Amino acid sequence: MTSPKADSNDSRPSKSEARKSSTSALQDTAVLQCERLDFVDLVPEDRPRVQSMKGFDDCYTDIVDYIVRCTHKIWDERDVGLIYTHYTHNCVLYGTMGTMYNREDVVRDTIQRLVSFPERRGMATHVIWNGNDTDGFYTSHLVTGSGRHSQNGHLGPATGRVFHSRTIADCMVYENKIYREWVVADQMAIFKQLGLDAHAFAEKIARGKVAQGLTNLDIGENRLMIGQYPPAETADLSIANNALEERTLQWLHDVWNRKMFGTIKDVYAPTVMYHGPLMKELYGVAAVMHQVIGLVGSLPDAVFQPQHVSSVECVEGGTKVAVRWVLEGHHLGYGGLESLGDPTGKRLQVMGISHFHYKNEKIVDEWCVYDELSVLMQLKMAQLQDLQASEEPTHD
């Protein structure tokens, strides 16, 4: 039995036309989101501006379009020179291996990475943001990258191996230019997939920094406890913009600073998915709890210090919250930072960024990015300092 032919005058749209119409409606009425849109829909050609973007290039229709499009042009289309029109000359870029203080260093670093990974592609996973064109925008951009180590470069001889990794870049943007950026790239994930010697590379970088006169990457002593008092029960909520962000900062304080790990079961959904460092893909509350305890185990006296928080409603339902944070303490135990080996007592800091997806008041997805290679490099720096001190001549 054959199905009847559609009436030639039937004006009902096809499924593909309906999808395009739905996508077009979304593009015309709201700031873009990465979750459900294909790349061509994220960088539209004929879309009118839906957000005031004073001072931005004409091609950008909203802040998400700006971040996704310019990142793609610089990294994937290799128009590295756009850095000159998209970063200020005195921009500051805080990375997990050190800080850059000008635009030329950003250009040089970008070229060096493209030398080693000429096939690299970065896919926008989501962008969480706040702000406006009057006060400036703040964006937290999660990128899932893939590529192949096909050329000799800053990582040594090419291995020919492929890799996947996650990076989150937080940017402060004003009138088309990024003037401050925090980049957390999971470089240890790349090293493990390429089969490279992380210890040798970390020591090489550490020796270079020590030779420049740098002693550490620390940001100062922590204030977990004052005297013999326990950690404060209430978190500092001054950086929050709404009730959900306040709630997020409070439970993060309870878990990381007060060590109330049981709070995790009250905050996360039973079906939570955890997308973590080293490209971990884990499921369930117990897995999340194990990852948290593992990191705290390596730095048991560490202070968790949120630096920025923002949130956006999500087309998938619920809200996504981005938190940039620093975990600072001493290497006093065994835990998730396995490359550090036996406890050394050295002060170390972990810069990380987490994205949480809340639905029905529970976290259903977490993306957590920090770089174990950075922590290993800091440990090498501290050990080189000890070695230099032991070799200094003593005077009678």
Side-chain angles (χ1 to χ4, degrees):
M1 182 176 180
T2 60
S3 57
K5 292 184 180 181
D7 190 302
S8 59
N9 295 321
D10 189 352
S11 60
R12 290 174 298 177
S14 67
K15 288 184 178 180
S16 61
E17 290 173 335
R19 184 191 70 81
K20 290 180 181 178
S21 175
S22 174
T23 298
S24 176
L26 174 64
Q27 291 178 356
D28 290 346
T29 60
V31 175
L32 293 171
Q33 293 190 17
C34 301
E35 287 80 353
R36 291 179 173 175
L37 299 180
D38 192 18
F39 179 77
V40 294
D41 299 318
L42 285 172
V43 290
E45 295 301 323
D46 301 319
R47 180 183 187 234
R49 278 195 168 170
V50 300
Q51 194 174 24
S52 180
M53 300 287 286
K54 176 178 174 292
F56 284 78
D57 289 350
D58 292 340
C59 62
Y60 301 125
T61 62
D62 61 41
I63 189 59
V64 174
D65 180 5
Y66 169 84
I67 285 295
V68 173
R69 192 190 296 263
C70 76
T71 300
H72 177 82
K73 285 180 175 291
I74 291 169
W75 284 95
D76 291 353
E77 296 184 5
R78 309 319 195 225
D79 284 336
V80 177
L82 287 178
I83 291 174
Y84 292 113
T85 56
H86 287 70
Y87 284 76
T88 60
H89 75 285
N90 59 349
C91 63
V92 182
L93 190 153
Y94 303 94
T96 57
M97 305 294 275
T99 304
M100 298 180 215
Y101 294 98
N102 61 77
R103 185 167 57 198
E104 287 300 331
D105 283 351
V106 176
V107 171
R108 175 190 53 78
D109 184 73
T110 302
I111 292 173
Q112 288 303 302
R113 295 181 187 280
L114 289 175
V115 166
S116 297
F117 305 132
E119 300 173 31
R120 180 195 175 277
R121 293 292 181 269
M123 295 166 286
T125 305
H126 30 80
V127 178
I128 301 172
W129 63 276
N130 62 15
N132 53 61
D133 62 352
T134 300
D135 304 313
F137 289 102
Y138 187 103
T139 63
S140 188
H141 180 198
L142 171 61
V143 175
T144 304
S146 62
R148 189 166 65 92
H149 185 208
S150 57
Q151 288 190 170
N152 302 342
H154 71 295
L155 300 184
T159 63
R161 295 185 180 183
V162 298
F163 69 89
H164 303 277
S165 66
R166 281 186 277 261
T167 299
I168 301 182
D170 279 20
C171 294
M172 298 179 75
V173 192
Y174 184 72
E175 293 193 351
N176 209 75
K177 287 187 170 63
I178 296 166
Y179 62 95
R180 194 170 299 167
E181 182 174 13
W182 293 261
V183 178
V184 180
D186 189 358
Q187 298 178 91
M188 185 64 91
I190 296 176
F191 267 69
K192 287 184 175 294
Q193 292 171 65
L194 299 185
L196 300 176
D197 187 341
H199 281 266
F201 184 82
E203 183 168 335
K204 175 184 175 181
I205 299 299
R207 286 187 179 279
K209 292 184 179 297
V210 170
Q212 294 171 3
L214 300 177
T215 58
N216 53 56
L217 298 182
D218 291 332
I219 59 173
E221 285 291 349
N222 63 56
R223 296 285 284 173
L224 178 61
M225 293 176 283
I226 301 175
Q228 299 179 58
Y229 288 96
E233 290 191 8
T234 304
D236 183 348
L237 306 179
S238 60
I239 63 173
N241 304 287
N242 55 53
L244 181 58
E245 292 178 11
E246 289 182 349
R247 178 188 167 207
T248 300
L249 295 178
Q250 182 60 53
W251 74 253
L252 284 170
H253 175 76
D254 291 340
V255 169
W256 291 94
N257 291 331
R258 299 182 63 224
K259 310 297 191 290
M260 300 294 287
F261 303 121
T263 303
I264 291 172
K265 72 179 183 302
D266 302 322
V267 176
Y268 288 77
T271 55
V272 63
M273 295 181 62
Y274 175 86
H275 319 273
L278 306 180
M279 295 305 288
K280 292 176 182 175
E281 297 289 344
L282 306 175
Y283 305 88
V285 172
V288 175
M289 192 175 298
H290 183 72
Q291 295 305 304
V292 171
I293 294 176
L295 185 51
V296 172
S298 294
L299 307 171
D301 71 337
V303 175
F304 183 90
Q305 299 171 314
Q307 305 292 309
H308 190 272
V309 59
S310 57
S311 57
V312 293
E313 293 185 5
C314 181
V315 291
E316 297 175 297
T319 304
K320 287 187 174 174
V321 178
V323 181
R324 176 169 54 82
W325 48 268
V326 172
L327 188 71
E328 184 183 11
H330 296 80
H331 182 214
L332 300 173
Y334 296 93
L337 301 175
E338 296 179 356
S339 66
L340 303 187
D342 295 336
T344 61
K346 301 302 183 183
R347 280 181 62 221
L348 303 170
Q349 68 176 33
V350 182
M351 181 168 70
I353 304 175
S354 299
H355 286 186
F356 305 101
H357 185 190
Y358 287 87
K359 269 188 178 181
N360 300 319
E361 300 187 346
K362 297 282 188 178
I363 296 172
V364 295
D365 277 281
E366 175 184 351
W367 293 261
C368 177
V369 181
Y370 61 81
D371 185 19
E372 188 173 335
L373 186 65
S374 166
V375 187
L376 180 60
M377 185 271 289
Q378 294 173 55
L379 179 59
K380 299 290 187 183
M381 287 182 68
Q383 292 171 334
L384 287 171
Q385 298 284 326
D386 290 345
L387 181 61
Q388 286 187 353
S390 67
E391 294 176 345
E392 289 180 358
T394 57
H395 300 283
D396 295 333

